[in-house]
């Protein structure tokens, strides 16, 4: 059964990319609905299978690592596969209504969307360093293609900047991979970890980890390497922005986190861990501050992503040379942060898209009076904001609560200040949008009403982000499942 | 000092040159060429380092072939984007008169 | 003055980057690698279905990499043709009326086609294979286009899109067919390995050439406008 599920998971997005390329936009939409159903069912099935039987290694082509490529199917990976299925299908449904089907170049939206999805799955499951590189490039190029779709000068400018940053990040990562292969003779992460367990750390291996993490940090837009992100996420069509902010930046972070958790202890050092944490904190403060000062609605949301990404990098100091229980808490907190931010930010971008559709402008001031006309989308935006501000009972709160405990448990109290400041600043930028929308202005009374289905989708995502706080125990229990060691190298 | 090790060290130098170009030059095509130089450097390290002691190793050779295809795809896409960007805005760099400045009202 | 200082700082940073990297390479080169992958590879060569080890790695042991890599190429192709907004991709200005090129072309095109075929065939036992053959094929196409040979299949219609994904589709179908037989994704049945690899290589050659050619041709030159959302 798991064999079929795995094949379905790998095959569907690639096959649907081909199918939708051969149709026009309207037909592609219908075909995509079918694909979404298949993909959600397969992801759910795999999640259930893993939560019942535990994780396993899946050798592609029947070859085991280190000769072949092995996928690591564990609780964390299937949780992210399921998260991707939820967020991507929401964006897919939204895009089907939101995007203008009459523009001939929009037919290329669906194939790029499906390629992006397949790249994400490849990264969540990847256990081979080089295969992860190919997966990352699959994601980057399709994301750049989606941003550039339409081909206006400003969009091209943003996507070129994005492309160059992504390529530089990939090269740095690949250089690290080259050093690892030269040193250990294998590309399988599990193989390297297995060898390091009972051998001393060989000289000269720290640079490889540093290069890989730096490259991935650039692709995740960690401060001060974040400058490519706001233009790209701000200028893309709203469903694309939602995909990019919710999932794409998480993919490179996920690899960096996996590498750090597996190899950080032997190859890393304390100063590097604290430095990454410090940069993350700077991102939280600076990103939130800039979000507060933006005049374009989507730029506010994009800078908020820069800030929320900052929290993720607290993983590095909170898991380096601390006790097992603190490290576990930090990992769980970061996982919840990834999931809740993905849901909340997708909801926020989709709701922002509806607001823009309604007012016909991307400016925050243009929202004046919109609260009387579009309360539903505005409410979704606010609910998502609650999770970003990390108020209880949202998923954002559960995440920061765990991080708080981990900071205090490891005696690194200074990260608590970051968590508090970040929460206050995010409250400020969410309320700023609210304030603008509740102002009354007699001049503008003409608002376009987007269709009901456009408004329901962000609401569902926002409610999930809030509800995550209440089911966090169940979500985390799958992540911590014992890993079946059969088939490991 | 074997020939593969020499390749790997030359790769390190190419990486430095490419990095400089990517960060410092502003013309988009030059940036792209710099990316390719850095890419070649990475490939040289990838193919040279493991063959220094182990002799012939087909795995990194295959990896480099895959890497080259990915680099070509990225380069070709970048050229198409650059050409259209130039056609629409008349600019050859991202630092010139911006269409929508970061953080500024649009 | 400030710019000179900045340049110097940047040069120093890049030189030290190269230096640290070279030092690390030197250190690593002094130690033996714990896993001997080439040996493991040669032990399994008999089961791979081809004689050339690089081709075996590309299309059997690490075929998932190759599948995704072709995906990346197709993405670039799609994103490239999505930029082209005219109904026809013909650009008369790009054509040359150079008579030398015309003359060369009559000799070169058949020769290059033959070379592409040879590279594809050689991939089984010596350096060569789908990508090299595809690149030569694409170069032939570029030469023909510069010489003004009409190539209708490059218009952004169904035929072009079919050509872009043909190789990818065949590869994907082979990959999933093994699952229906109860095996892992991408596992070839042992008795069919060689013909399957040959089929995949041939269609990949066509698709790779098609993607590269489409990217060359689709570099756009017209003024299509799409209002950015919320800019009106």
């Amino acid at each position: 059964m798991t064999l079929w599920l795995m094949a379905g998971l790998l095959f569907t997005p690639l096959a649907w990319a081909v199918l939708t390329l051969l149709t026009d936009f309207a037909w592609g939409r219908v075909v995509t609905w079918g694909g979404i159903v298949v993909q959600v069912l397969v992801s759910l099935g795999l999640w259930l299978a893993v939560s019942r039987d535990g994780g396993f290694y899946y050798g592609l082509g029947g070859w085991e690592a280190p000769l072949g490529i092995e996928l690591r199917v564990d609780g964390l990976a299937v949780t992210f596969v399921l998260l991707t299925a939820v967020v991507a299908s929401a964006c897919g449904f939204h895009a089907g209504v939101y995007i203008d089907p009459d523009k001939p170049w929009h037919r290329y939206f669906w194939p790029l969307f499906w390629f992006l999805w397949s790249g994400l799955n490849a990264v969540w499951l990847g256990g081979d360093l080089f295969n992860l590189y190919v997966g990352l490039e699959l994601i980057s190029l399709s994301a750049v293609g989606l941003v550039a779709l339409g081909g206006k000068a400003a969009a091209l400018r943003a996507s070129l900047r994005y492309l160059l940053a992504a390529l530089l990040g990939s090269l740095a990562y690949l250089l690290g991979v080259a050093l690892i292969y030269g040193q250990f003779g294998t590309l399988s992460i599990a193989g390297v970890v297995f060898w390091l367990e009972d051998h001393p750390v060989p000289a000269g291996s720290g640079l490889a980890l540093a290069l890989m993490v730096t490259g991935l940090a650039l692709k995740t837009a960690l401060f001060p390497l974040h400058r490519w992100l706001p233009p790209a996420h701000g200028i893309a069509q709203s469903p694309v922005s939602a995909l990019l902010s919710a999932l794409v930046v998480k993919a490179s972070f996920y690899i960096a986190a996996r590498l750090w958790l597996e190899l950080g202890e032997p190859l890393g050092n304390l100063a590097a861990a604290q430095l990454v944490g410090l940069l993350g904190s700077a991102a939280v403060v600076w990103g939130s501050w800039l979000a507060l000062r933006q005049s374009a609605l989507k730029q506010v949301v994009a800078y908020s992503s820069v800030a929320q990404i900052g929290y993720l990098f607290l993983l590095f100091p909170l898991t380096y040379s601390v006790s097992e229980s603190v490290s576990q808490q930090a990992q769980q907190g970061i996982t919840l942060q990834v999931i809740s931010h993905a849901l909340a930010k997708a909801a926020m971008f989709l709701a922002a898209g509806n607001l823009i559709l309604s007012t016909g402008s991307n400016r925050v001031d243009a929202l004046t009076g919109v609260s009387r006309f579009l309360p539903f989308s505005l409410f979704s935006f606010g609910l998502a904001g609650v999770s970003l501000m990390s108020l209880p009972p949202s998923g954002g709160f559960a995440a920061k609560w765990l991080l708080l405990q981990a900071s205090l448990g490891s005696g690194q109290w200074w990260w608590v200040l970051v968590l508090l400041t970040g929460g206050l600043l995010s409250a400020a930028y969410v309320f700023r949008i609210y304030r603008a929308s509740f102002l009354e202005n007699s001049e503008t009374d003409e608002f376009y009403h987007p269709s009901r289905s456009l408004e329901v989708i962000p609401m569902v995502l926002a409610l999930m982000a809030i509800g995550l706080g209440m089911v966090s125990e169940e979500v985390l229990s799958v992540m911590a499942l014992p890993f079946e060691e059969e088939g490991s190298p | 000092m074997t020939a593969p090790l020499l390749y790997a060290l030359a790769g390190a130098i190419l990486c430095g040159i490419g990095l400089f170009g990517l960060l410092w030059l502003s013309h988009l095509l030059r940036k792209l060429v710099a990316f390719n130089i850095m890419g070649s450097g990475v490939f040289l390290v990838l193919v040279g380092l493991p063959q220094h002691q182990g002799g012939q190793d087909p795995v990194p050779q295959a990896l480099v072939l895959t890497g080259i295809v990915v680099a070509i795809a990225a380069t070709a896409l970048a050229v198409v984007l650059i050409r259209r960007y130039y056609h629409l805005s008349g600019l050859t760099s991202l630092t010139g008169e911006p269409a929508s400045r970061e953080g500024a009202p649009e | 003055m400030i710019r000179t200082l900045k340049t110097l700082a940047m040069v120093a940073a890049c030189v030290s980057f190269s230096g640290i990297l070279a030092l690390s390479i030197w250190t690593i080169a002094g130690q033996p690698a714990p896993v001997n992958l080439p040996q493991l590879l040669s032990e399994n060569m008999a089961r791979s279905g081809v004689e050339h080890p690089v081709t075996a790695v590309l299309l059997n042991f690490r075929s998932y990499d190759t599948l995704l890599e072709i995906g990346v190429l197709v993405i670039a192709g799609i994103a490239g043709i999505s930029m082209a907004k005219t109904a026809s991709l013909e650009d008369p200005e790009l054509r040359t009326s150079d008579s030398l090129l015309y003359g060369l072309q009559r000799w070169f095109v058949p020769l290059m086609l033959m070379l592409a075929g040879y590279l594809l065939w050689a991939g089984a036992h010596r350096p060569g294979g789908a990508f090299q053959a595809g690149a030569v094929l694409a170069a032939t196409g570029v030469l023909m286009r510069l010489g003004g040979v009409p190539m209708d299949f490059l218009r952004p219609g169904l035929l072009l899109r079919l050509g872009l994904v043909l190789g990818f589709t065949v590869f994907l179908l082979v990959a999933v067919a093994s699952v229906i037989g109860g095996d892992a994704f991408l596992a070839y049945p042992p008795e069919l390995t060689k013909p399957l690899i040959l089929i995949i290589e041939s269609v990949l050659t066509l698709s790779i050439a098609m993607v590269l050619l489409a990217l060359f041709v689709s570099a756009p030159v017209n003024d299509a406008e799409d209002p950015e959302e919320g800019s009106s």
Side-chain angles (χ1 to χ4, degrees), chain A residues 196-217:
Chain A
L196 280 172
E197 264 167 19
D198 40 26
H199 291 85
V201 180
S205 49
L207 184 67
L209 186 66
L211 280 170
M212 288 195 278
V213 170
T214 312
L216 293 166

Side-chain angles (χ1 to χ4, degrees), chain A residues 21 61 98 107 128 131 298, chain C residues 62 65 85 161 185 229:
Chain A
L21 181 62
Y98 187 86
R107 71 165 66 213
D128 182 280
N131 187 244
K298 282 179 70 180
Chain C
R62 300 183 65 90
D65 272 349
K85 304 252 173 73
R161 283 180 273 139
F185 196 65
E229 58 178 15

